[in-house]
Amino acid sequence: MPVGYAWMPLLINGRVNVGDQAIAVATNNPSGYLASEQLGLGKGSSGPDIKWNDGGKPLFKFNLRLVSTVYTKDQHLHNFFQHCQKIEETGSLAADMDTSNKLKTLHAVESGTLIQFLPTVLNQLFRLLPLTNSEDVALNAVRVLVHIVCEASEVEKIDMLRSYSKYVFVTIPTVSSKSRTIHEELAKHLTSMLRPQSADFLVINKFLLHSWFFFEILVKSMSQHLLETGKIKSPRNERFPSNYQYRIQTLLQHIVPHITQKYKELPEATKNANHSLAIFIKKCFTFMDRGFAFKLINMYIENFNPGDSRVLQEYKFEFLRLVCFHEHYIPLNLPLMKRGHIKSYKDMRHDYTLSEEFRKQHFLVGLLLQAVKSALNEVKVIRAQAISVLRDLLAKHEYDDRYSTKTQQGRIASLYLPFITIILENKHRLNIGDGQSSPGAMNGDVSGEMIGDRSSIAPSLVSQRSTLSLQQSETIQTLQNMSGSGSVKLPRDSAVLAMIAGTAPQASSLSISDPKPILNGSNSSLASSKASSESVDKDPKDTPKSNGKHDRSYSMGGQQGQSSPIGMPRYDKLDQKEVKDLLICFMYIVKNLPEEVLLGWFNNSSEYDIIDFFNILEMCIQQFKYSSKKIIHKLSMIADSQKAHTLPTRKGPVDMFSHSRAASDIKTKRNTQLLESSGALDNVLLEGNFACEVGMIALDVIALYSANFKEQLQFREGDNSLMRKVFDLHLLFLQTNQSESILKHAFAALRSFINKFAKILFRGNATMCANLCYELLRCGNSRLPSTRSEACALLYLLMRSNYEFNKKKSFTRVHLQDQIDVYRMKYQVIVSVSQLISDVVGLSTLRFQESLSIINNYANSDKGMQRTCFPLEVKELTKKIRTVLMATAQMKEHQNDPEMLVDLQYSLAKSYSSTPELRKTWLDSMAKIHIKNGNLSEAAHCYIHGVALVAEYLKRRGAYPQGCRVFKNISTNVEADESEGQEDFGMQDVQYTNESLIEMLEEVAEALEKAERYELLGEVYKLIIPVYEERRDYQKLAQAYSILHSAYTKIVQVSLSGKRLLGKFFRVALYGQNFFEEEDSKTYIYKEPKVTGLTELCQRLQCLYTEKFGKHTVRLIKDSNKVNMKDLDSRFAYIQVTYVEPYFDERELEDRQTDFERNNNVRRFMFETPFTKDPKKAHGSVDEQYKRRTILTTSHSFPYVKKRIMVVYHQDMELTPIQVAIDQMQKKVVEIHEVVSMVTPDMKKLQLKLQGSVGVQVNAGPLAFAEAFLDKSKLRNYARKFTNSLKDIYRQFVQVCGIALELNGTLIMTEQMEYQESLKENFRNMVSKLEDIFDEKLFSDEDGKSISLDSTNRTSMSLFNVISSPTSQA
């Protein structure tokens, strides 16, 4: 039951009455109660009679909250809506000032309120723009729009803005042609807002940040306008008035400066504005005149220059990426041809270069390529972004189903022809060391570890559209965003940052319907001559003068009418990712180019450019070679664990490298399932497919060039740069990891090459045939049976072709090349099976034997050769190879034992003493091993023996009468080893000259200098300098004398410092028939580098033989005594290591006065073993101590071509106790003498020697010998010559100690005077005791100042015979 009644009005002055309320409560509810109104001042109320509770007091209190999408409680917004309603009702604007004020008050509205009424507010604001004639009203409306969009974004309501622009916004219909549109007015007033004179920087910054919204409104208004007016069917240039195009152009001119000038302080805003502008211009292609859109793009690009900051460069390439990804990008770049116009090469020549005409006819492509070309001279981040834009665009073309035919793809590739010139100009920056592989780098296994199931890389799968994973090929990341990473070391000179000069020849365009133009020859090159000049060294006679093609003229860059800014190229290298991306772009273009266009490029390029082109092709093969299943699997697992991006999400992979010409029978198909899994197997398949695609493309191009330019390749019987490069490309497939499928095609290409160019192979330079034989032999060692079979078949074809080419006389050239290998020198050809084995220690004898059997089977089953001697010659050849293979098995067994490995190669080299070329090959192989292990002296002597072989060859030819005996002063081993060489049949293809000899001698000199054997450089240059003098080559003479000056200076330095270490020598004896076999009980002298200690060598040998024989099987004999074989356990291998020193007799010591002379050409070595007559103890008292001196003689002198030499003679000498005393005292005298004779005294060494000679604690040593052997009571027990010798030595000892004390007194400081007096006192006591024993005066203080060692009657040398004489007793 109601208590009372209350009511109130909802609207007061047009506003909803909300908030706290308090109203009176009536007891009745009469009719017409709403008309009741309080009169105030106690006069009651008008209307019906109403009875109020409690005298009409406001008893009912409550609060009203507005929940409405129609009414707002915000006063400013309410006023704006009322004003807009008034305008609509009256059909005319209110006062401009009033409207402006209403608009300005909207800035005070809360963001929540604006969001609640967002569509309504935006609609009203956009409707104001075409309805007002006031610039101030329109400008304020735009500012409010910017404010509202910014507020919505700040509260994360961007989705509402996007929904509004997409679904809500509707442009105002135009009543007449004079009616204004929203897009026209918005473009006009946005420009006004951006003008500097009326600029509100806060508003402008907000606009830049959210410009996408306004550009979307512009585009939607334009589209709705075209649809409503029907102008969508009109020509593009008639759809919009010229004043609107002018407004858009002006808007762009005002936006871009803000982007380029404010990118530092407003990075996010300028980035968004740049992105939005690109999207807008891209959409302009759909609605507006495309020429006008091109004009906008050109105006934008003109604001950027080479050398701009990294951010601006990123903006530019982001802009280009968005614009170039237009769906009709290809038609935009292919203008219509004139009717009846016949295309010829002259008409389309601009398509080959980045000329002005090209950029006009193909605007977007030209713009992008020019930007990429300029970006390659920038820092890494900019380069990476530029390359990624181009790469992604090419990938998009490959995806595009609209252009899937070969003709269409060929026309698209023709658009990018100038890119070939660009990449040739930057070829010097593409070399990546870790991505390259050299011949022989595969350890004999040509194809590595390929996929086990060959069907996975079968030709049918090769033809599928292959894609790279990000980890390996980095072809594609996404089709939306790409950015580079990493760093590149920049050159120090800032001048290299200048842009490379561009070229601009004249030309016209091609029609997509006419991909096969007529190509005419020309003498001009397509790439820049500057870039071409950096190619590989070429003989200027390589090009036939009678042919106008492939001449070495300057490029199109020098033609009339071109302008090329002067710039400096960069020389820093691109990183691997950049190189791969550029090469991928290059391969896409080359793959899809029509044959006629590619032939036109070859036909009108210089030889330099063509060779550079093939160099890039070679780089592609190297970079994208197959890495084996295990490696790819491992890398893919690492990438998965790091959550790395892998492949684009699109189902179909990019068909960038499908086989098009050499395998035209293979139809390309989409592999829709391959990318659905990111597993390792998929990565393996992708990598294999990609390597196959690259290989197929390369083979196609090589075959196309070889078929159409045979005359150029045959010039000078193939001895030209072009032929060498084409041939090297063929061999590259055998030198790098390739799949079975590619190898089959590579062998087929080589068979075609042999048939086409037999004359070059068998009559021209022998190098090509030698290289081909070498690689085929390597392939004969492959793990893949199919590869071995193909290699054997091709090698047999080569032999037979040679046999038939020689009119069935012999296949000497191939026979020869199987016996010799290419040597690096300029004039020599030394390719052989021996070199194959020396380069590839992992050669499989079983597989190689199988390959030889296959070759024999081919010869025996060849019916056409049965009645000739050809099968017999093949059999003889394979027999010789098998002989060499026997040594291979041993080398493989001992590949971890450097000494044994060198010994085996030494034995093989020695067996070829009658075949100098083979011997030299093994010497070179030994030198490589020595250099690897740090044995530089031994490596130098390998080179010395090699040059001695050449000297003997020249001697037999009458060109060098001295022969190898001129090296006897360098090494005593040379004449004995190298004078017995005989000339073999292979010398007909080897032409050594005196020039060759000099070059090898220079190599020897360099090796000796590295080994610190400076004294031998003089002997070497005695052979070189006369040749320089005869030639009057003063530059070489100056260089030679400079080297000698430096060498002799170093000799003086090391002589004074004693810091040169020429090695240590050790005796190593091996025992154990079950382990060492033929080496059992043999003794070697090991030469170890520098300061190798006894412990270090023992540990190395023990580890080496433990690894070879097993744990706990190797024992060290830790003394130098004679080994009794009966005491050794046959279950163990024993090693005895003893330190030895070179041994010289008196005559030799007189000749060998320097440390170098005592370490060069040494054959005899000595070690001493102490013993007593009591077999139970080795050491006794002075008069009981004996010593056994063992002298070992080796078969050759050290240093030699190997670091260990067998001992061929032992000699034992026993020294009696007095002889031991003489020997010990003699050593002390010599040691002290050396110290006091130094030009620059060494005080520390001097004091050590004095302390050991006259110190109190060790005085017992010298005195003990004197008391034991020279005491009067004991003199009669020893021979007089021994006692007299010992007395003479003591006299020298006293004298040299006195000199040493005097010298020390001149060197010491004041604080060491007490130490000096202590030494003098000890010396006087020692001399006093010796004088008592000798009964004569030995020394006085006065004598110490003038006495010298020369005053003695007997020198240290004169005592040597006494020490070394047989034992005798008095």
Side-chain angles (χ1 to χ4, degrees):
M1 185 174 180
V3 177
Y5 303 90
W7 59 89
M8 64 169 289
L10 287 177
L11 292 177
I12 299 177
N13 297 328
R15 288 191 61 193
V16 179
N17 190 13
V18 295
D20 293 332
Q21 304 291 334
I23 59 177
V25 180
T27 58
N28 63 336
N29 188 18
S31 177
Y33 70 94
L34 292 178
S36 175
E37 183 178 356
Q38 294 291 337
L39 296 176
L41 300 176
K43 296 181 180 181
S45 61
S46 63
D49 185 20
I50 300 174
K51 296 181 179 181
W52 302 95
N53 289 327
D54 199 9
K57 294 182 179 179
L59 302 176
F60 183 37
K61 298 179 181 181
F62 57 93
N63 181 274
L64 291 179
R65 181 170 58 88
L66 179 64
V67 180
S68 172
T69 58
V70 178
Y71 293 97
T72 175
K73 64 179 181 179
D74 187 279
Q75 181 65 46
H76 303 301
L77 190 57
H78 172 75
N79 294 340
F80 174 72
F81 284 157
Q82 276 193 332
H83 187 75
C84 291
Q85 185 175 359
K86 181 179 179 182
I87 293 173
E88 292 181 2
E89 290 175 353
T90 60
S92 61
L93 286 176
D96 292 338
M97 183 63 69
D98 188 29
T99 305
S100 296
N101 291 335
K102 294 293 189 295
L103 289 171
K104 291 178 181 178
T105 58
L106 292 181
H107 290 279
V109 179
E110 294 181 356
S111 58
T113 304
L114 289 174
I115 295 301
Q116 186 176 2
F117 295 91
L118 184 64
T120 306
V121 176
L122 293 179
N123 282 336
Q124 294 301 323
L125 290 171
F126 281 122
R127 288 175 184 272
L128 278 177
L129 294 177
L131 297 179
T132 183
N133 292 321
S134 172
E135 290 288 336
D136 186 59
V137 171
L139 188 58
N140 278 294
V142 171
R143 289 174 176 170
V144 172
L145 283 169
V146 173
H147 169 73
I148 293 174
V149 172
C150 181
E151 289 293 318
S153 299
E154 288 180 356
V155 295
E156 299 180 354
K157 295 296 181 179
I158 296 180
D159 55 334
M160 293 184 64
L161 295 174
R162 297 191 184 279
S163 298
Y164 173 82
S165 64
K166 187 173 183 179
Y167 302 110
V168 179
F169 172 80
V170 178
T171 190
I172 297 178
T174 55
V175 180
S176 65
S177 59
K178 295 182 179 180
S179 300
R180 292 182 292 181
T181 61
I182 292 179
H183 53 271
E184 292 175 352
E185 295 303 313
L186 182 60
K188 173 184 176 182
H189 298 298
L190 283 174
T191 304
S192 300
M193 183 186 69
L194 294 171
R195 285 196 179 101
Q197 55 269 28
S198 60
D200 184 337
F201 295 107
L202 182 61
V203 176
I204 293 176
N205 296 344
K206 292 179 179 180
F207 166 74
L208 294 176
L209 185 62
H210 309 292
S211 56
W212 64 270
F213 176 78
F214 299 94
F215 284 124
E216 285 193 7
I217 296 297
L218 283 173
V219 171
K220 187 166 185 183
S221 178
M222 289 163 57
S223 62
Q224 290 178 345
H225 170 73
L226 292 178
L227 291 172
E228 290 175 359
T229 59
K231 290 184 178 181
I232 191 68
K233 299 178 181 179
S234 302
R236 293 177 182 274
N237 58 352
E238 298 178 4
R239 293 178 178 178
F240 296 98
S242 58
N243 65 336
Y244 177 64
Q245 293 185 2
Y246 174 76
R247 289 177 180 179
I248 294 296
Q249 180 179 331
T250 307
L251 177 61
L252 182 140
Q253 291 174 340
H254 283 80
I255 291 179
V256 176
H258 287 285
I259 295 174
T260 57
Q261 296 171 12
K262 296 182 177 181
Y263 68 91
K264 291 183 178 179
E265 59 265 26
L266 299 172
E268 184 181 0
T270 53
K271 180 180 180 181
N272 291 350
N274 183 73
H275 185 274
S276 304
L277 183 61
I279 296 296
F280 173 71
I281 295 178
K282 178 181 176 182
K283 292 180 179 180
C284 285
F285 281 117
T286 304
F287 303 110
M288 304 184 71
D289 179 38
R290 291 177 174 177
F292 174 72
F294 286 150
K295 184 178 181 181
L296 295 179
I297 295 173
N298 191 56
M299 290 174 57
Y300 173 87
I301 294 297
E302 285 178 350
N303 290 273
F304 297 87
N305 299 295
D308 282 343
S309 67
R310 178 182 61 84
V311 177
L312 290 181
Q313 295 280 7
E314 289 177 352
Y315 288 177
K316 179 177 71 174
F317 283 105
E318 175 66 10
F319 179 91
L320 288 174
R321 185 182 68 84
L322 293 170
V323 171
C324 291
F325 269 62
H326 192 278
E327 59 179 339
H328 300 304
Y329 171 82
I330 298 301
L332 290 173
N333 282 288
L334 291 174
L336 297 175
M337 292 180 58
K338 296 179 181 179
R339 183 172 299 177
H341 185 67
I342 300 175
K343 296 297 295 182
S344 66
Y345 177 74
K346 293 181 179 179
D347 296 323
M348 60 163 287
R349 235 178 127 171
H350 68 276
D351 282 357
Y352 287 78
T353 55
L354 196 58
S355 62
E356 291 293 339
E357 184 66 21
F358 177 89
R359 294 198 290 268
K360 290 178 182 178
Q361 295 291 336
H362 314 293
F363 178 76
L364 290 180
V365 171
L367 197 64
L368 177 61
L369 292 179
Q370 183 65 35
V372 171
K373 177 181 178 180
S374 176
L376 290 177
N377 296 299
E378 303 291 346
V379 295
K380 176 186 167 38
V381 177
I382 300 171
R383 293 199 307 263
Q385 188 170 14
I387 296 170
S388 67
V389 171
L390 178 62
R391 180 202 60 202
D392 292 347
L393 187 59
L394 296 179
K396 180 176 178 290
H397 298 331
E398 191 78 13
Y399 266 119
D400 203 329
D401 295 330
R402 298 171 297 174
Y403 310 114
S404 58
T405 67
K406 179 180 177 181
T407 300
Q408 292 167 333
Q409 285 291 322
R411 187 61 190 95
I412 293 173
S414 299
L415 287 173
Y416 295 93
L417 265 175
F419 180 76
I420 296 179
T421 303
I422 294 174
I423 199 170
L424 292 184
E425 291 174 353
N426 290 275
K427 64 184 182 302
H428 58 284
R429 304 173 63 194
L430 301 180
N431 296 326
I432 300 296
D434 53 357
Q436 305 281 347
S437 66
S438 57
M442 298 166 57
N443 294 332
D445 186 7
V446 175
S447 56
E449 198 166 329
M450 299 296 178
I451 301 175
D453 184 5
R454 293 179 216 161
S455 62
S456 59
I457 298 293
S460 61
L461 187 56
V462 173
S463 66
Q464 294 175 345
R465 304 196 166 203
S466 53
T467 309
L468 283 176
S469 64
L470 178 67
Q471 302 94 318
Q472 291 293 307
S473 61
E474 302 172 0
T475 309
I476 302 171
Q477 293 182 11
T478 63
L479 293 179
Q480 280 75 31
N481 293 306
M482 292 294 301
S483 62
S485 60
S487 61
V488 172
K489 292 184 178 179
L490 299 177
R492 295 181 182 178
D493 190 357
S494 60
V496 301
L497 296 175
M499 180 178 64
I500 299 177
T503 58
Q506 301 297 320
S508 60
S509 67
L510 285 175
S511 171
I512 196 166
S513 61
D514 184 20
K516 297 183 178 181
I518 300 172
L519 302 176
N520 296 327
S522 172
N523 290 336
S524 297
S525 168
L526 298 174
S528 68
S529 59
K530 183 175 182 179
S532 299
S533 64
E534 299 176 20
S535 61
V536 295
D537 184 25
K538 308 174 185 68
D539 192 338
K541 301 178 182 179
D542 282 353
T543 307
K545 297 181 180 179
S546 60
N547 194 324
K549 302 174 182 178
H550 296 353
D551 67 342
R552 305 191 174 204
S553 62
Y554 287 96
S555 69
M556 286 184 176
Q559 294 181 17
Q560 187 176 2
Q562 289 185 322
S563 62
S564 56
I566 299 175
M568 292 291 292
R570 290 177 70 99
Y571 293 97
D572 55 322
K573 301 297 182 183
L574 304 178
D575 67 12
Q576 190 171 15
K577 182 182 184 302
E578 294 172 317
V579 172
K580 284 190 173 183
D581 285 345
L582 286 173
L583 294 181
I584 286 172
C585 299
F586 175 80
M587 292 304 287
Y588 168 84
I589 297 169
V590 172
K591 180 201 77 169
N592 289 298
L593 277 178
E595 291 186 1
E596 293 79 4
V597 178
L598 188 56
L599 288 175
W601 192 93
F602 285 135
N603 203 32
N604 292 272
S605 297
S606 71
E607 183 181 337
Y608 290 112
D609 296 336
I610 295 173
I611 291 179
D612 290 341
F613 178 92
F614 286 136
N615 284 333
I616 301 297
L617 203 62
E618 177 183 355
M619 201 173 301
C620 292
I621 300 172
Q622 295 276 19
Q623 286 291 331
F624 301 114
K625 64 185 178 181
Y626 184 62
S627 300
S628 85
K629 183 177 179 180
K630 286 185 177 180
I631 295 176
I632 298 173
H633 182 271
K634 182 178 180 181
L635 292 176
S636 64
M637 296 301 291
I638 294 174
D640 291 340
S641 66
Q642 295 176 347
K643 304 295 183 183
H645 297 293
T646 54
L647 296 167
T649 57
R650 184 156 181 174
K651 292 183 179 179
V654 178
D655 179 18
M656 295 187 66
F657 300 102
S658 61
H659 182 38
S660 58
R661 289 186 286 269
S664 59
D665 56 324
I666 302 175
K667 303 298 182 181
T668 55
K669 300 178 181 178
R670 298 273 185 190
N671 186 6
T672 58
Q673 302 298 325
L674 196 56
L675 295 181
E676 293 180 358
S677 171
S678 60
L681 179 59
D682 292 336
N683 291 333
V684 171
L685 293 177
L686 291 172
E687 288 293 338
N689 293 342
F690 194 83
C692 286
E693 288 290 345
V694 172
M696 288 294 191
I697 296 169
L699 288 173
D700 289 345
V701 175
I702 299 169
L704 181 66
Y705 186 84
S706 300
N708 289 275
F709 298 96
K710 189 174 180 180
E711 181 181 351
Q712 284 76 17
L713 293 174
Q714 289 179 334
F715 176 61
R716 290 175 57 189
E717 294 187 344
D719 189 16
N720 60 79
S721 299
L722 275 173
M723 172 54 85
R724 287 193 290 269
K725 176 52 64 177
V726 170
F727 181 74
D728 289 344
L729 281 175
H730 279 92
L731 289 190
L732 186 62
F733 287 94
L734 307 184
Q735 296 166 349
T736 55
N737 285 341
Q738 300 292 342
S739 66
E740 285 184 89
S741 176
I742 282 296
L743 285 176
K744 290 178 181 178
H745 288 283
F747 283 120
L750 283 169
R751 286 193 292 270
S752 175
F753 185 89
I754 292 172
N755 293 330
K756 289 179 183 177
F757 304 105
K759 181 179 179 181
I760 293 175
L761 285 171
F762 306 130
R763 183 172 294 176
N765 193 298
T767 304
M768 286 200 297
C769 190
N771 284 335
L772 180 56
C773 291
Y774 178 81
E775 297 304 332
L776 291 177
L777 287 170
R778 289 180 66 251
C779 290
N781 183 54
S782 172
R783 298 178 185 177
L784 301 175
S786 62
T787 301
R788 294 200 300 272
S789 178
E790 291 277 0
C792 294
L794 186 57
L795 185 57
Y796 177 76
L797 174 64
L798 189 64
M799 295 177 184
R800 179 173 176 174
S801 299
N802 190 194
Y803 185 79
E804 292 175 344
F805 183 82
N806 293 330
K807 297 180 180 180
K808 298 188 177 182
K809 293 181 180 179
S810 174
F811 60 104
T812 305
R813 172 60 65 83
V814 175
H815 192 166
L816 166 66
Q817 304 311 327
D818 282 333
Q819 292 296 314
I820 57 178
D821 192 7
V822 170
Y823 186 57
R824 293 180 180 178
M825 290 193 182
K826 190 175 180 181
Y827 303 94
Q828 302 170 25
V829 180
I830 318 168
V831 182
S832 67
V833 175
S834 300
Q835 182 64 33
L836 175 67
I837 296 171
S838 64
D839 285 347
V840 188
V841 177
L843 192 66
S844 171
T845 305
L846 182 61
R847 293 197 297 264
F848 208 82
Q849 291 278 11
E850 181 184 342
S851 298
L852 295 178
S853 300
I854 293 174
I855 296 175
N856 272 329
N857 292 337
Y858 283 140
N860 295 330
S861 60
D862 192 343
K863 295 181 180 179
M865 293 290 165
Q866 293 302 316
R867 297 183 180 180
T868 66
C869 62
F870 180 71
L872 182 61
E873 291 191 20
V874 173
K875 183 177 180 180
E876 291 177 356
L877 171 62
T878 54
K879 183 178 179 180
K880 290 183 178 181
I881 296 176
R882 284 192 175 95
T883 302
V884 179
L885 288 177
M886 294 177 63
T888 308
Q890 289 183 312
M891 290 184 192
K892 186 174 181 180
E893 179 183 353
H894 299 287
Q895 58 184 334
N896 295 325
D897 186 347
E899 288 84 13
M900 190 63 185
L901 184 60
V902 169
D903 282 354
L904 291 172
Q905 294 194 358
Y906 172 81
S907 300
L908 201 56
K910 191 173 182 180
S911 68
Y912 286 124
S913 59
S914 61
T915 312
E917 291 305 313
L918 295 177
R919 174 170 172 77
K920 187 175 187 311
T921 297
W922 287 109
L923 288 172
D924 292 340
S925 177
M926 293 163 63
K928 293 177 185 178
I929 297 176
H930 286 312
I931 292 174
K932 179 181 178 182
N933 296 323
N935 303 314
L936 300 181
S937 295
E938 286 69 27
H941 277 259
C942 289
Y943 293 135
I944 292 171
H945 282 252
V947 74
L949 282 172
V950 177
E952 279 296 294
Y953 164 80
L954 294 175
K955 177 182 178 182
R956 289 192 292 271
R957 295 296 176 91
Y960 197 75
Q962 301 93 325
C964 67
R965 55 189 175 84
V966 297
F967 298 94
K968 63 181 179 180
N969 292 335
I970 299 176
S971 173
T972 57
N973 301 314
V974 171
E975 190 171 5
D977 284 2
E978 313 303 340
S979 60
E980 298 178 358
Q982 300 177 7
E983 184 175 337
D984 65 344
F985 61 84
M987 300 307 290
Q988 59 179 300
D989 265 336
V990 179
Q991 295 297 325
Y992 286 124
T993 62
N994 285 330
E995 181 67 27
S996 308
L997 182 68
I998 295 303
E999 290 181 0
M1000 295 176 70
L1001 284 171
E1002 289 172 347
E1003 185 179 7
V1004 167
E1006 182 180 357
L1008 288 172
E1009 186 176 10
K1010 291 180 179 178
E1012 298 184 359
R1013 295 187 174 269
Y1014 310 116
E1015 288 82 353
L1016 297 180
L1017 289 177
E1019 297 294 333
V1020 174
Y1021 276 99
K1022 285 179 184 178
L1023 308 176
I1024 300 176
I1025 289 176
V1027 179
Y1028 291 163
E1029 292 175 343
E1030 183 180 355
R1031 297 178 188 168
R1032 295 173 176 81
D1033 191 341
Y1034 299 110
Q1035 183 177 359
K1036 288 284 189 180
L1037 282 170
Q1039 183 180 359
Y1041 283 115
S1042 175
I1043 293 173
L1044 289 175
H1045 174 268
S1046 175
Y1048 291 141
T1049 302
K1050 290 178 180 178
I1051 292 173
V1052 174
Q1053 293 173 352
V1054 297
S1055 298
L1056 296 178
S1057 65
K1059 293 182 179 180
R1060 178 172 59 169
L1061 304 169
L1062 297 174
K1064 300 292 183 180
F1065 299 94
F1066 300 90
R1067 181 196 71 149
V1068 178
L1070 308 174
Y1071 302 99
Q1073 177 64 36
N1074 296 335
F1075 299 94
F1076 296 107
E1077 299 177 352
E1078 67 273 7
E1079 288 193 310
D1080 178 41
S1081 302
K1082 289 185 178 180
T1083 303
Y1084 295 92
I1085 298 297
Y1086 277 59
K1087 178 181 173 295
E1088 294 296 311
K1090 301 296 182 181
V1091 289
T1092 304
L1094 179 65
T1095 305
E1096 182 181 351
L1097 177 60
C1098 290
Q1099 186 177 6
R1100 182 175 73 84
L1101 292 177
Q1102 188 171 20
C1103 293
L1104 173 66
Y1105 289 113
T1106 298
E1107 183 179 354
K1108 184 182 295 188
F1109 302 142
K1111 293 183 178 180
H1112 311 298
T1113 58
V1114 180
R1115 293 188 175 181
L1116 289 175
I1117 300 176
K1118 298 183 180 180
D1119 56 50
S1120 57
N1121 295 325
K1122 291 184 178 180
V1123 176
N1124 188 353
M1125 300 296 294
K1126 296 180 180 179
D1127 297 336
L1128 302 180
D1129 192 334
S1130 61
R1131 297 175 300 171
F1132 301 100
Y1134 293 90
I1135 305 173
Q1136 186 181 36
V1137 184
T1138 309
Y1139 174 74
V1140 297
E1141 295 178 344
Y1143 175 81
F1144 308 102
D1145 57 26
E1146 181 178 1
R1147 181 182 58 80
E1148 286 181 299
L1149 281 175
E1150 291 177 355
D1151 295 334
R1152 298 176 182 264
Q1153 298 182 6
T1154 66
D1155 181 64
F1156 170 79
E1157 291 169 345
R1158 291 192 290 271
N1159 281 275
N1160 189 58
N1161 288 333
V1162 291
R1163 286 188 62 190
R1164 293 196 297 174
F1165 301 87
M1166 173 195 73
F1167 70 93
E1168 297 173 338
T1169 306
F1171 70 98
T1172 63
K1173 293 298 183 179
D1174 185 357
K1176 295 182 180 180
K1177 60 179 182 177
H1179 298 277
S1181 60
V1182 172
D1183 55 350
E1184 297 176 344
Q1185 186 65 60
Y1186 288 78
K1187 189 162 60 175
R1188 182 182 298 106
R1189 175 172 291 159
T1190 303
I1191 302 173
L1192 309 173
T1193 305
T1194 56
S1195 59
H1196 295 82
S1197 301
F1198 281 100
Y1200 190 40
V1201 296
K1202 53 181 184 174
K1203 63 175 291 188
R1204 75 170 184 179
I1205 304 177
M1206 185 182 296
V1207 174
V1208 295
Y1209 179 71
H1210 290 71
Q1211 180 184 0
D1212 290 331
M1213 299 172 53
E1214 288 190 2
L1215 301 182
T1216 61
I1218 190 172
Q1219 288 177 310
V1220 172
I1222 294 172
D1223 185 52
Q1224 294 292 331
M1225 291 303 300
Q1226 179 67 29
K1227 287 181 179 179
K1228 282 186 176 293
V1229 172
V1230 172
E1231 289 174 357
I1232 300 174
H1233 176 263
E1234 289 178 351
V1235 175
V1236 299
S1237 300
M1238 294 176 66
V1239 177
T1240 304
D1242 188 335
M1243 187 175 67
K1244 290 184 178 180
K1245 188 179 292 186
L1246 177 64
Q1247 291 180 356
L1248 285 174
K1249 298 301 179 183
L1250 283 173
Q1251 187 66 28
S1253 300
V1254 300
V1256 177
Q1257 66 273 24
V1258 294
N1259 259 350
L1263 287 176
F1265 290 132
E1267 292 171 351
F1269 304 111
L1270 299 180
D1271 189 82
K1272 296 178 182 179
S1273 61
K1274 300 178 181 179
L1275 280 175
R1276 62 178 180 273
N1277 297 330
Y1278 304 101
R1280 184 178 298 275
K1281 64 177 181 178
F1282 292 140
T1283 57
N1284 290 340
S1285 296
L1286 187 58
K1287 286 182 179 181
D1288 288 341
I1289 292 172
Y1290 268 105
R1291 294 186 184 101
Q1292 294 179 43
F1293 176 71
V1294 170
Q1295 293 165 358
V1296 76
C1297 285
I1299 296 172
L1301 277 172
E1302 292 298 327
L1303 177 61
N1304 188 62
T1306 62
L1307 299 176
I1308 61 175
M1309 304 297 291
T1310 307
E1311 58 270 14
Q1312 289 186 314
M1313 291 300 298
E1314 184 177 351
Y1315 173 71
Q1316 174 71 3
E1317 291 299 325
S1318 173
L1319 290 176
K1320 284 186 177 181
E1321 182 64 25
N1322 293 335
F1323 176 68
R1324 294 190 192 98
N1325 294 335
M1326 180 187 70
V1327 171
S1328 175
K1329 293 179 181 179
L1330 288 175
E1331 288 176 348
D1332 293 341
I1333 296 173
F1334 285 19
D1335 197 18
E1336 65 180 66
K1337 188 70 173 178
L1338 295 178
F1339 188 82
S1340 64
D1341 292 340
E1342 291 76 12
D1343 295 336
K1345 298 178 182 180
S1346 58
I1347 198 167
S1348 67
L1349 291 178
D1350 295 334
S1351 64
T1352 58
N1353 294 327
R1354 302 182 67 181
T1355 66
S1356 58
M1357 293 298 177
S1358 66
L1359 301 176
F1360 196 85
N1361 284 335
V1362 177
I1363 300 173
S1364 305
S1365 63
T1367 303
S1368 61
Q1369 295 290 341

